[in-house]
PDB file of all heavy atoms in Angstrom:
ATOM      1  N   GLN A   1      -0.818 -34.164 -20.172  1.00 91.00           N
ATOM      2  CA  GLN A   1      -0.160 -33.505 -19.027  1.00 91.00           C
ATOM      3  C   GLN A   1       0.179 -32.046 -19.355  1.00 91.00           C
ATOM      4  O   GLN A   1       0.033 -31.162 -18.516  1.00 91.00           O
ATOM      5  CB  GLN A   1       1.111 -34.267 -18.633  1.00 91.00           C
ATOM      6  CG  GLN A   1       0.840 -35.539 -17.882  1.00 91.00           C
ATOM      7  CD  GLN A   1       2.130 -36.280 -17.533  1.00 91.00           C
ATOM      8  OE1 GLN A   1       3.182 -36.036 -18.114  1.00 91.00           O
ATOM      9  NE2 GLN A   1       2.006 -37.200 -16.583  1.00 91.00           N
ATOM     10  N   LEU A   2       0.621 -31.795 -20.587  1.00 92.00           N
ATOM     11  CA  LEU A   2       0.928 -30.421 -21.000  1.00 92.00           C
ATOM     12  C   LEU A   2      -0.334 -29.566 -20.984  1.00 92.00           C
ATOM     13  O   LEU A   2      -0.326 -28.432 -20.491  1.00 92.00           O
ATOM     14  CB  LEU A   2       1.573 -30.442 -22.395  1.00 92.00           C
ATOM     15  CG  LEU A   2       1.975 -29.085 -22.952  1.00 92.00           C
ATOM     16  CD1 LEU A   2       3.036 -28.447 -22.061  1.00 92.00           C
ATOM     17  CD2 LEU A   2       2.486 -29.234 -24.372  1.00 92.00           C
ATOM     18  N   GLU A   3      -1.430 -30.128 -21.515  1.00 92.00           N
ATOM     19  CA  GLU A   3      -2.706 -29.400 -21.483  1.00 92.00           C
ATOM     20  C   GLU A   3      -3.138 -29.119 -20.050  1.00 92.00           C
ATOM     21  O   GLU A   3      -3.598 -28.016 -19.723  1.00 92.00           O
ATOM     22  CB  GLU A   3      -3.796 -30.221 -22.195  1.00 92.00           C
ATOM     23  CG  GLU A   3      -3.792 -30.112 -23.676  1.00 92.00           C
ATOM     24  CD  GLU A   3      -4.940 -30.915 -24.286  1.00 92.00           C
ATOM     25  OE1 GLU A   3      -6.077 -30.877 -23.728  1.00 92.00           O
ATOM     26  OE2 GLU A   3      -4.694 -31.568 -25.301  1.00 92.00           O
ATOM     27  N   ASN A   4      -2.982 -30.116 -19.193  1.00 92.00           N
ATOM     28  CA  ASN A   4      -3.351 -29.945 -17.783  1.00 92.00           C
ATOM     29  C   ASN A   4      -2.502 -28.852 -17.116  1.00 92.00           C
ATOM     30  O   ASN A   4      -2.994 -28.060 -16.327  1.00 92.00           O
ATOM     31  CB  ASN A   4      -3.211 -31.254 -17.028  1.00 92.00           C
ATOM     32  CG  ASN A   4      -4.315 -32.234 -17.346  1.00 92.00           C
ATOM     33  OD1 ASN A   4      -5.355 -31.853 -17.862  1.00 92.00           O
ATOM     34  ND2 ASN A   4      -4.084 -33.507 -17.053  1.00 92.00           N
ATOM     35  N   ARG A   5      -1.207 -28.814 -17.454  1.00 93.00           N
ATOM     36  CA  ARG A   5      -0.351 -27.760 -16.892  1.00 93.00           C
ATOM     37  C   ARG A   5      -0.784 -26.386 -17.376  1.00 93.00           C
ATOM     38  O   ARG A   5      -0.810 -25.420 -16.615  1.00 93.00           O
ATOM     39  CB  ARG A   5       1.113 -28.011 -17.283  1.00 93.00           C
ATOM     40  CG  ARG A   5       1.776 -29.039 -16.440  1.00 93.00           C
ATOM     41  CD  ARG A   5       3.290 -29.067 -16.698  1.00 93.00           C
ATOM     42  NE  ARG A   5       3.761 -30.419 -16.511  1.00 93.00           N
ATOM     43  CZ  ARG A   5       4.255 -31.222 -17.446  1.00 93.00           C
ATOM     44  NH1 ARG A   5       4.388 -30.788 -18.674  1.00 93.00           N
ATOM     45  NH2 ARG A   5       4.630 -32.438 -17.164  1.00 93.00           N
ATOM     46  N   LEU A   6      -1.106 -26.284 -18.649  1.00 94.00           N
ATOM     47  CA  LEU A   6      -1.566 -24.995 -19.203  1.00 94.00           C
ATOM     48  C   LEU A   6      -2.871 -24.549 -18.536  1.00 94.00           C
ATOM     49  O   LEU A   6      -3.029 -23.387 -18.163  1.00 94.00           O
ATOM     50  CB  LEU A   6      -1.739 -25.098 -20.723  1.00 94.00           C
ATOM     51  CG  LEU A   6      -0.466 -25.247 -21.542  1.00 94.00           C
ATOM     52  CD1 LEU A   6      -0.812 -25.463 -23.006  1.00 94.00           C
ATOM     53  CD2 LEU A   6       0.423 -24.031 -21.379  1.00 94.00           C
ATOM     54  N   ILE A   7      -3.783 -25.503 -18.409  1.00 94.00           N
ATOM     55  CA  ILE A   7      -5.058 -25.199 -17.740  1.00 94.00           C
ATOM     56  C   ILE A   7      -4.791 -24.794 -16.298  1.00 94.00           C
ATOM     57  O   ILE A   7      -5.358 -23.816 -15.791  1.00 94.00           O
ATOM     58  CB  ILE A   7      -6.025 -26.401 -17.823  1.00 94.00           C
ATOM     59  CG1 ILE A   7      -6.488 -26.610 -19.252  1.00 94.00           C
ATOM     60  CG2 ILE A   7      -7.217 -26.184 -16.896  1.00 94.00           C
ATOM     61  CD1 ILE A   7      -7.269 -27.899 -19.454  1.00 94.00           C
ATOM     62  N   SER A   8      -3.903 -25.517 -15.637  1.00 94.00           N
ATOM     63  CA  SER A   8      -3.563 -25.217 -14.244  1.00 94.00           C
ATOM     64  C   SER A   8      -2.937 -23.817 -14.119  1.00 94.00           C
ATOM     65  O   SER A   8      -3.258 -23.061 -13.199  1.00 94.00           O
ATOM     66  CB  SER A   8      -2.610 -26.290 -13.724  1.00 94.00           C
ATOM     67  OG  SER A   8      -2.143 -25.954 -12.450  1.00 94.00           O
ATOM     68  N   GLU A   9      -2.051 -23.473 -15.056  1.00 94.00           N
ATOM     69  CA  GLU A   9      -1.426 -22.141 -15.024  1.00 94.00           C
ATOM     70  C   GLU A   9      -2.470 -21.047 -15.244  1.00 94.00           C
ATOM     71  O   GLU A   9      -2.460 -20.024 -14.563  1.00 94.00           O
ATOM     72  CB  GLU A   9      -0.333 -22.049 -16.086  1.00 94.00           C
ATOM     73  CG  GLU A   9       0.920 -22.807 -15.739  1.00 94.00           C
ATOM     74  CD  GLU A   9       1.950 -22.773 -16.865  1.00 94.00           C
ATOM     75  OE1 GLU A   9       1.746 -22.018 -17.844  1.00 94.00           O
ATOM     76  OE2 GLU A   9       2.940 -23.510 -16.762  1.00 94.00           O
ATOM     77  N   ARG A  10      -3.370 -21.254 -16.214  1.00 95.00           N
ATOM     78  CA  ARG A  10      -4.428 -20.262 -16.460  1.00 95.00           C
ATOM     79  C   ARG A  10      -5.331 -20.097 -15.243  1.00 95.00           C
ATOM     80  O   ARG A  10      -5.678 -18.981 -14.855  1.00 95.00           O
ATOM     81  CB  ARG A  10      -5.264 -20.657 -17.676  1.00 95.00           C
ATOM     82  CG  ARG A  10      -4.750 -20.015 -18.941  1.00 95.00           C
ATOM     83  CD  ARG A  10      -5.702 -20.197 -20.093  1.00 95.00           C
ATOM     84  NE  ARG A  10      -5.475 -21.565 -20.600  1.00 95.00           N
ATOM     85  CZ  ARG A  10      -6.431 -22.357 -21.049  1.00 95.00           C
ATOM     86  NH1 ARG A  10      -7.665 -21.979 -21.077  1.00 95.00           N
ATOM     87  NH2 ARG A  10      -6.146 -23.571 -21.489  1.00 95.00           N
ATOM     88  N   LEU A  11      -5.701 -21.215 -14.622  1.00 95.00           N
ATOM     89  CA  LEU A  11      -6.540 -21.155 -13.427  1.00 95.00           C
ATOM     90  C   LEU A  11      -5.804 -20.445 -12.284  1.00 95.00           C
ATOM     91  O   LEU A  11      -6.391 -19.633 -11.563  1.00 95.00           O
ATOM     92  CB  LEU A  11      -6.968 -22.558 -12.987  1.00 95.00           C
ATOM     93  CG  LEU A  11      -8.070 -23.208 -13.803  1.00 95.00           C
ATOM     94  CD1 LEU A  11      -8.290 -24.642 -13.344  1.00 95.00           C
ATOM     95  CD2 LEU A  11      -9.352 -22.415 -13.694  1.00 95.00           C
ATOM     96  N   THR A  12      -4.515 -20.735 -12.153  1.00 94.00           N
ATOM     97  CA  THR A  12      -3.715 -20.087 -11.107  1.00 94.00           C
ATOM     98  C   THR A  12      -3.665 -18.582 -11.342  1.00 94.00           C
ATOM     99  O   THR A  12      -3.795 -17.795 -10.408  1.00 94.00           O
ATOM    100  CB  THR A  12      -2.295 -20.680 -11.077  1.00 94.00           C
ATOM    101  OG1 THR A  12      -2.378 -22.076 -10.866  1.00 94.00           O
ATOM    102  CG2 THR A  12      -1.468 -20.045  -9.979  1.00 94.00           C
ATOM    103  N   GLU A  13      -3.462 -18.176 -12.597  1.00 94.00           N
ATOM    104  CA  GLU A  13      -3.438 -16.744 -12.922  1.00 94.00           C
ATOM    105  C   GLU A  13      -4.788 -16.086 -12.636  1.00 94.00           C
ATOM    106  O   GLU A  13      -4.853 -14.984 -12.081  1.00 94.00           O
ATOM    107  CB  GLU A  13      -3.049 -16.544 -14.386  1.00 94.00           C
ATOM    108  CG  GLU A  13      -1.595 -16.799 -14.676  1.00 94.00           C
ATOM    109  CD  GLU A  13      -1.279 -16.670 -16.159  1.00 94.00           C
ATOM    110  OE1 GLU A  13      -2.121 -16.131 -16.915  1.00 94.00           O
ATOM    111  OE2 GLU A  13      -0.192 -17.124 -16.560  1.00 94.00           O
ATOM    112  N   GLU A  14      -5.867 -16.748 -13.013  1.00 95.00           N
ATOM    113  CA  GLU A  14      -7.208 -16.210 -12.760  1.00 95.00           C
ATOM    114  C   GLU A  14      -7.466 -16.081 -11.261  1.00 95.00           C
ATOM    115  O   GLU A  14      -7.977 -15.065 -10.795  1.00 95.00           O
ATOM    116  CB  GLU A  14      -8.286 -17.105 -13.397  1.00 95.00           C
ATOM    117  CG  GLU A  14      -8.385 -17.001 -14.890  1.00 95.00           C
ATOM    118  CD  GLU A  14      -8.919 -15.652 -15.333  1.00 95.00           C
ATOM    119  OE1 GLU A  14      -9.805 -15.086 -14.659  1.00 95.00           O
ATOM    120  OE2 GLU A  14      -8.428 -15.169 -16.365  1.00 95.00           O
ATOM    121  N   ILE A  15      -7.108 -17.100 -10.520  1.00 94.00           N
ATOM    122  CA  ILE A  15      -7.306 -17.064  -9.067  1.00 94.00           C
ATOM    123  C   ILE A  15      -6.461 -15.954  -8.452  1.00 94.00           C
ATOM    124  O   ILE A  15      -6.926 -15.192  -7.603  1.00 94.00           O
ATOM    125  CB  ILE A  15      -6.981 -18.436  -8.442  1.00 94.00           C
ATOM    126  CG1 ILE A  15      -8.047 -19.453  -8.843  1.00 94.00           C
ATOM    127  CG2 ILE A  15      -6.876 -18.331  -6.923  1.00 94.00           C
ATOM    128  CD1 ILE A  15      -7.724 -20.881  -8.460  1.00 94.00           C
ATOM    129  N   HIS A  16      -5.218 -15.836  -8.912  1.00 95.00           N
ATOM    130  CA  HIS A  16      -4.334 -14.770  -8.403  1.00 95.00           C
ATOM    131  C   HIS A  16      -4.940 -13.395  -8.712  1.00 95.00           C
ATOM    132  O   HIS A  16      -4.941 -12.508  -7.863  1.00 95.00           O
ATOM    133  CB  HIS A  16      -2.947 -14.913  -9.028  1.00 95.00           C
ATOM    134  CG  HIS A  16      -1.985 -13.868  -8.585  1.00 95.00           C
ATOM    135  ND1 HIS A  16      -1.484 -13.815  -7.301  1.00 95.00           N
ATOM    136  CD2 HIS A  16      -1.437 -12.817  -9.244  1.00 95.00           C
ATOM    137  CE1 HIS A  16      -0.667 -12.782  -7.190  1.00 95.00           C
ATOM    138  NE2 HIS A  16      -0.626 -12.153  -8.366  1.00 95.00           N
ATOM    139  N   PHE A  17      -5.462 -13.221  -9.939  1.00 94.00           N
ATOM    140  CA  PHE A  17      -6.090 -11.954 -10.329  1.00 94.00           C
ATOM    141  C   PHE A  17      -7.300 -11.653  -9.445  1.00 94.00           C
ATOM    142  O   PHE A  17      -7.467 -10.528  -8.957  1.00 94.00           O
ATOM    143  CB  PHE A  17      -6.497 -12.010 -11.803  1.00 94.00           C
ATOM    144  CG  PHE A  17      -7.233 -10.801 -12.272  1.00 94.00           C
ATOM    145  CD1 PHE A  17      -6.575  -9.609 -12.502  1.00 94.00           C
ATOM    146  CD2 PHE A  17      -8.611 -10.853 -12.465  1.00 94.00           C
ATOM    147  CE1 PHE A  17      -7.262  -8.488 -12.936  1.00 94.00           C
ATOM    148  CE2 PHE A  17      -9.307  -9.733 -12.895  1.00 94.00           C
ATOM    149  CZ  PHE A  17      -8.635  -8.555 -13.130  1.00 94.00           C
ATOM    150  N   LEU A  18      -8.131 -12.660  -9.216  1.00 94.00           N
ATOM    151  CA  LEU A  18      -9.324 -12.463  -8.385  1.00 94.00           C
ATOM    152  C   LEU A  18      -8.947 -12.140  -6.941  1.00 94.00           C
ATOM    153  O   LEU A  18      -9.523 -11.238  -6.323  1.00 94.00           O
ATOM    154  CB  LEU A  18     -10.214 -13.706  -8.429  1.00 94.00           C
ATOM    155  CG  LEU A  18     -10.937 -13.970  -9.749  1.00 94.00           C
ATOM    156  CD1 LEU A  18     -11.629 -15.331  -9.704  1.00 94.00           C
ATOM    157  CD2 LEU A  18     -11.921 -12.865 -10.050  1.00 94.00           C
ATOM    158  N   VAL A  19      -7.977 -12.847  -6.395  1.00 95.00           N
ATOM    159  CA  VAL A  19      -7.556 -12.605  -5.012  1.00 95.00           C
ATOM    160  C   VAL A  19      -6.966 -11.200  -4.880  1.00 95.00           C
ATOM    161  O   VAL A  19      -7.256 -10.479  -3.929  1.00 95.00           O
ATOM    162  CB  VAL A  19      -6.545 -13.687  -4.558  1.00 95.00           C
ATOM    163  CG1 VAL A  19      -5.867 -13.297  -3.263  1.00 95.00           C
ATOM    164  CG2 VAL A  19      -7.243 -15.018  -4.411  1.00 95.00           C
ATOM    165  N   LYS A  20      -6.148 -10.810  -5.866  1.00 95.00           N
ATOM    166  CA  LYS A  20      -5.553  -9.464  -5.820  1.00 95.00           C
ATOM    167  C   LYS A  20      -6.648  -8.390  -5.883  1.00 95.00           C
ATOM    168  O   LYS A  20      -6.602  -7.394  -5.165  1.00 95.00           O
ATOM    169  CB  LYS A  20      -4.566  -9.293  -6.960  1.00 95.00           C
ATOM    170  CG  LYS A  20      -3.747  -8.053  -6.831  1.00 95.00           C
ATOM    171  CD  LYS A  20      -2.520  -8.155  -7.686  1.00 95.00           C
ATOM    172  CE  LYS A  20      -1.678  -6.949  -7.398  1.00 95.00           C
ATOM    173  NZ  LYS A  20      -0.292  -7.248  -7.290  1.00 95.00           N
ATOM    174  N   GLY A  21      -7.657  -8.608  -6.728  1.00 93.00           N
ATOM    175  CA  GLY A  21      -8.771  -7.663  -6.819  1.00 93.00           C
ATOM    176  C   GLY A  21      -9.546  -7.566  -5.509  1.00 93.00           C
ATOM    177  O   GLY A  21      -9.905  -6.472  -5.068  1.00 93.00           O
ATOM    178  N   ILE A  22      -9.780  -8.684  -4.898  1.00 94.00           N
ATOM    179  CA  ILE A  22     -10.501  -8.696  -3.612  1.00 94.00           C
ATOM    180  C   ILE A  22      -9.686  -7.991  -2.540  1.00 94.00           C
ATOM    181  O   ILE A  22     -10.220  -7.214  -1.750  1.00 94.00           O
ATOM    182  CB  ILE A  22     -10.846 -10.149  -3.198  1.00 94.00           C
ATOM    183  CG1 ILE A  22     -11.930 -10.703  -4.111  1.00 94.00           C
ATOM    184  CG2 ILE A  22     -11.281 -10.214  -1.748  1.00 94.00           C
ATOM    185  CD1 ILE A  22     -12.220 -12.175  -3.919  1.00 94.00           C
ATOM    186  N   GLN A  23      -8.371  -8.236  -2.530  1.00 94.00           N
ATOM    187  CA  GLN A  23      -7.513  -7.570  -1.547  1.00 94.00           C
ATOM    188  C   GLN A  23      -7.515  -6.058  -1.758  1.00 94.00           C
ATOM    189  O   GLN A  23      -7.576  -5.289  -0.799  1.00 94.00           O
ATOM    190  CB  GLN A  23      -6.076  -8.108  -1.633  1.00 94.00           C
ATOM    191  CG  GLN A  23      -5.902  -9.490  -1.070  1.00 94.00           C
ATOM    192  CD  GLN A  23      -4.499 -10.026  -1.273  1.00 94.00           C
ATOM    193  OE1 GLN A  23      -3.775  -9.586  -2.162  1.00 94.00           O
ATOM    194  NE2 GLN A  23      -4.126 -10.999  -0.453  1.00 94.00           N
ATOM    195  N   THR A  24      -7.465  -5.632  -3.010  1.00 94.00           N
ATOM    196  CA  THR A  24      -7.495  -4.193  -3.314  1.00 94.00           C
ATOM    197  C   THR A  24      -8.814  -3.578  -2.862  1.00 94.00           C
ATOM    198  O   THR A  24      -8.829  -2.526  -2.203  1.00 94.00           O
ATOM    199  CB  THR A  24      -7.294  -3.965  -4.819  1.00 94.00           C
ATOM    200  OG1 THR A  24      -6.078  -4.577  -5.229  1.00 94.00           O
ATOM    201  CG2 THR A  24      -7.258  -2.493  -5.147  1.00 94.00           C
ATOM    202  N   GLU A  25      -9.918  -4.215  -3.201  1.00 94.00           N
ATOM    203  CA  GLU A  25     -11.233  -3.696  -2.803  1.00 94.00           C
ATOM    204  C   GLU A  25     -11.377  -3.677  -1.286  1.00 94.00           C
ATOM    205  O   GLU A  25     -11.944  -2.745  -0.718  1.00 94.00           O
ATOM    206  CB  GLU A  25     -12.340  -4.531  -3.436  1.00 94.00           C
ATOM    207  CG  GLU A  25     -12.475  -4.333  -4.930  1.00 94.00           C
ATOM    208  CD  GLU A  25     -13.527  -5.236  -5.552  1.00 94.00           C
ATOM    209  OE1 GLU A  25     -14.213  -5.960  -4.799  1.00 94.00           O
ATOM    210  OE2 GLU A  25     -13.642  -5.212  -6.783  1.00 94.00           O
ATOM    211  N   THR A  26     -10.872  -4.698  -0.630  1.00 94.00           N
ATOM    212  CA  THR A  26     -10.959  -4.769   0.831  1.00 94.00           C
ATOM    213  C   THR A  26     -10.165  -3.639   1.473  1.00 94.00           C
ATOM    214  O   THR A  26     -10.642  -2.991   2.410  1.00 94.00           O
ATOM    215  CB  THR A  26     -10.437  -6.126   1.336  1.00 94.00           C
ATOM    216  OG1 THR A  26     -11.197  -7.154   0.721  1.00 94.00           O
ATOM    217  CG2 THR A  26     -10.556  -6.233   2.835  1.00 94.00           C
ATOM    218  N   SER A  27      -8.967  -3.376   0.964  1.00 93.00           N
ATOM    219  CA  SER A  27      -8.166  -2.288   1.552  1.00 93.00           C
ATOM    220  C   SER A  27      -8.812  -0.934   1.281  1.00 93.00           C
ATOM    221  O   SER A  27      -8.786  -0.043   2.137  1.00 93.00           O
ATOM    222  CB  SER A  27      -6.730  -2.325   1.026  1.00 93.00           C
ATOM    223  OG  SER A  27      -6.701  -2.087  -0.360  1.00 93.00           O
ATOM    224  N   GLU A  28      -9.424  -0.748   0.097  1.00 94.00           N
ATOM    225  CA  GLU A  28     -10.131   0.500  -0.195  1.00 94.00           C
ATOM    226  C   GLU A  28     -11.320   0.681   0.747  1.00 94.00           C
ATOM    227  O   GLU A  28     -11.547   1.766   1.278  1.00 94.00           O
ATOM    228  CB  GLU A  28     -10.606   0.519  -1.646  1.00 94.00           C
ATOM    229  CG  GLU A  28      -9.498   0.706  -2.658  1.00 94.00           C
ATOM    230  CD  GLU A  28      -9.991   0.593  -4.089  1.00 94.00           C
ATOM    231  OE1 GLU A  28     -11.208   0.393  -4.305  1.00 94.00           O
ATOM    232  OE2 GLU A  28      -9.143   0.686  -4.992  1.00 94.00           O
ATOM    233  N   LEU A  29     -12.089  -0.384   0.937  1.00 93.00           N
ATOM    234  CA  LEU A  29     -13.236  -0.323   1.852  1.00 93.00           C
ATOM    235  C   LEU A  29     -12.784  -0.030   3.278  1.00 93.00           C
ATOM    236  O   LEU A  29     -13.416   0.754   3.993  1.00 93.00           O
ATOM    237  CB  LEU A  29     -14.029  -1.629   1.815  1.00 93.00           C
ATOM    238  CG  LEU A  29     -14.941  -1.824   0.613  1.00 93.00           C
ATOM    239  CD1 LEU A  29     -15.518  -3.234   0.612  1.00 93.00           C
ATOM    240  CD2 LEU A  29     -16.047  -0.801   0.618  1.00 93.00           C
ATOM    241  N   GLN A  30     -11.674  -0.630   3.672  1.00 93.00           N
ATOM    242  CA  GLN A  30     -11.168  -0.403   5.021  1.00 93.00           C
ATOM    243  C   GLN A  30     -10.756   1.052   5.202  1.00 93.00           C
ATOM    244  O   GLN A  30     -11.049   1.661   6.230  1.00 93.00           O
ATOM    245  CB  GLN A  30      -9.989  -1.327   5.295  1.00 93.00           C
ATOM    246  CG  GLN A  30      -9.532  -1.321   6.727  1.00 93.00           C
ATOM    247  CD  GLN A  30      -8.438  -2.354   6.967  1.00 93.00           C
ATOM    248  OE1 GLN A  30      -7.766  -2.766   6.024  1.00 93.00           O
ATOM    249  NE2 GLN A  30      -8.269  -2.760   8.206  1.00 93.00           N
ATOM    250  N   SER A  31     -10.101   1.634   4.209  1.00 92.00           N
ATOM    251  CA  SER A  31      -9.707   3.045   4.329  1.00 92.00           C
ATOM    252  C   SER A  31     -10.936   3.951   4.341  1.00 92.00           C
ATOM    253  O   SER A  31     -10.987   4.936   5.081  1.00 92.00           O
ATOM    254  CB  SER A  31      -8.756   3.439   3.198  1.00 92.00           C
ATOM    255  OG  SER A  31      -9.418   3.429   1.955  1.00 92.00           O
ATOM    256  N   GLN A  32     -11.965   3.612   3.550  1.00 92.00           N
ATOM    257  CA  GLN A  32     -13.201   4.404   3.559  1.00 92.00           C
ATOM    258  C   GLN A  32     -13.900   4.309   4.910  1.00 92.00           C
ATOM    259  O   GLN A  32     -14.427   5.305   5.414  1.00 92.00           O
ATOM    260  CB  GLN A  32     -14.140   3.950   2.449  1.00 92.00           C
ATOM    261  CG  GLN A  32     -13.668   4.317   1.066  1.00 92.00           C
ATOM    262  CD  GLN A  32     -14.572   3.745  -0.018  1.00 92.00           C
ATOM    263  OE1 GLN A  32     -15.500   3.000   0.253  1.00 92.00           O
ATOM    264  NE2 GLN A  32     -14.277   4.092  -1.264  1.00 92.00           N
ATOM    265  N   VAL A  33     -13.908   3.123   5.495  1.00 91.00           N
ATOM    266  CA  VAL A  33     -14.530   2.945   6.811  1.00 91.00           C
ATOM    267  C   VAL A  33     -13.773   3.754   7.857  1.00 91.00           C
ATOM    268  O   VAL A  33     -14.377   4.408   8.717  1.00 91.00           O
ATOM    269  CB  VAL A  33     -14.575   1.442   7.195  1.00 91.00           C
ATOM    270  CG1 VAL A  33     -14.867   1.254   8.668  1.00 91.00           C
ATOM    271  CG2 VAL A  33     -15.612   0.726   6.358  1.00 91.00           C
ATOM    272  N   ASN A  34     -12.448   3.745   7.798  1.00 90.00           N
ATOM    273  CA  ASN A  34     -11.656   4.523   8.757  1.00 90.00           C
ATOM    274  C   ASN A  34     -11.917   6.018   8.601  1.00 90.00           C
ATOM    275  O   ASN A  34     -12.047   6.740   9.593  1.00 90.00           O
ATOM    276  CB  ASN A  34     -10.166   4.217   8.581  1.00 90.00           C
ATOM    277  CG  ASN A  34      -9.806   2.844   9.089  1.00 90.00           C
ATOM    278  OD1 ASN A  34     -10.507   2.269   9.910  1.00 90.00           O
ATOM    279  ND2 ASN A  34      -8.721   2.296   8.580  1.00 90.00           N
ATOM    280  N   LYS A  35     -12.004   6.495   7.354  1.00 91.00           N
ATOM    281  CA  LYS A  35     -12.302   7.914   7.122  1.00 91.00           C
ATOM    282  C   LYS A  35     -13.689   8.257   7.661  1.00 91.00           C
ATOM    283  O   LYS A  35     -13.888   9.283   8.294  1.00 91.00           O
ATOM    284  CB  LYS A  35     -12.222   8.245   5.635  1.00 91.00           C
ATOM    285  CG  LYS A  35     -10.825   8.314   5.096  1.00 91.00           C
ATOM    286  CD  LYS A  35     -10.840   8.625   3.609  1.00 91.00           C
ATOM    287  CE  LYS A  35      -9.450   8.582   3.019  1.00 91.00           C
ATOM    288  NZ  LYS A  35      -9.461   8.817   1.569  1.00 91.00           N
ATOM    289  N   SER A  36     -14.646   7.375   7.386  1.00 91.00           N
ATOM    290  CA  SER A  36     -16.015   7.598   7.851  1.00 91.00           C
ATOM    291  C   SER A  36     -16.068   7.617   9.374  1.00 91.00           C
ATOM    292  O   SER A  36     -16.752   8.455   9.973  1.00 91.00           O
ATOM    293  CB  SER A  36     -16.926   6.508   7.303  1.00 91.00           C
ATOM    294  OG  SER A  36     -18.219   6.637   7.821  1.00 91.00           O
ATOM    295  N   ARG A  37     -15.339   6.709  10.002  1.00 91.00           N
ATOM    296  CA  ARG A  37     -15.310   6.650  11.461  1.00 91.00           C
ATOM    297  C   ARG A  37     -14.725   7.943  12.031  1.00 91.00           C
ATOM    298  O   ARG A  37     -15.259   8.517  12.972  1.00 91.00           O
ATOM    299  CB  ARG A  37     -14.496   5.450  11.933  1.00 91.00           C
ATOM    300  CG  ARG A  37     -14.504   5.301  13.443  1.00 91.00           C
ATOM    301  CD  ARG A  37     -13.670   4.118  13.921  1.00 91.00           C
ATOM    302  NE  ARG A  37     -14.103   2.879  13.281  1.00 91.00           N
ATOM    303  CZ  ARG A  37     -13.257   1.952  12.852  1.00 91.00           C
ATOM    304  NH1 ARG A  37     -11.966   2.101  12.972  1.00 91.00           N
ATOM    305  NH2 ARG A  37     -13.728   0.850  12.309  1.00 91.00           N
ATOM    306  N   THR A  38     -13.635   8.418  11.430  1.00 91.00           N
ATOM    307  CA  THR A  38     -13.018   9.666  11.890  1.00 91.00           C
ATOM    308  C   THR A  38     -13.984  10.831  11.720  1.00 91.00           C
ATOM    309  O   THR A  38     -14.133  11.662  12.621  1.00 91.00           O
ATOM    310  CB  THR A  38     -11.722   9.929  11.102  1.00 91.00           C
ATOM    311  OG1 THR A  38     -10.847   8.823  11.267  1.00 91.00           O
ATOM    312  CG2 THR A  38     -11.045  11.185  11.585  1.00 91.00           C
ATOM    313  N   THR A  39     -14.654  10.882  10.583  1.00 92.00           N
ATOM    314  CA  THR A  39     -15.628  11.958  10.338  1.00 92.00           C
ATOM    315  C   THR A  39     -16.759  11.902  11.349  1.00 92.00           C
ATOM    316  O   THR A  39     -17.166  12.931  11.898  1.00 92.00           O
ATOM    317  CB  THR A  39     -16.191  11.835   8.909  1.00 92.00           C
ATOM    318  OG1 THR A  39     -15.117  11.888   7.974  1.00 92.00           O
ATOM    319  CG2 THR A  39     -17.180  12.946   8.616  1.00 92.00           C
ATOM    320  N   ASN A  40     -17.263  10.705  11.617  1.00 92.00           N
ATOM    321  CA  ASN A  40     -18.348  10.555  12.594  1.00 92.00           C
ATOM    322  C   ASN A  40     -17.900  10.954  13.995  1.00 92.00           C
ATOM    323  O   ASN A  40     -18.662  11.575  14.737  1.00 92.00           O
ATOM    324  CB  ASN A  40     -18.876   9.120  12.593  1.00 92.00           C
ATOM    325  CG  ASN A  40     -19.634   8.779  11.333  1.00 92.00           C
ATOM    326  OD1 ASN A  40     -20.084   9.664  10.610  1.00 92.00           O
ATOM    327  ND2 ASN A  40     -19.762   7.501  11.041  1.00 92.00           N
TER     328      ASN A  40
END
């Protein structure tokens, strides 16, 4: 059970890291699209 909790915590951290990265990239892309739209 302790090993499973450790594995679960590591997986949760990895998933959180990946989701945060995707959110950051998505917001950057959205701001670039808005700038491009304004320029166009």
Side-chain angles (χ1 to χ4, degrees):
Q1 284 179 342
L2 181 62
E3 279 182 42
N4 286 342
R5 280 190 212 114
L6 291 175
I7 291 171
S8 173
E9 286 176 9
R10 267 190 280 143
L11 284 174
T12 302
E13 287 176 14
E14 286 291 323
I15 290 171
H16 179 69
F17 176 75
L18 289 172
V19 167
K20 190 161 186 138
I22 289 172
Q23 286 175 337
T24 304
E25 289 177 4
T26 302
S27 64
E28 288 175 1
L29 283 172
Q30 189 175 22
S31 68
Q32 289 175 355
V33 165
N34 288 338
K35 286 179 185 177
S36 175
R37 183 181 305 139
T38 303
T39 302
N40 290 341

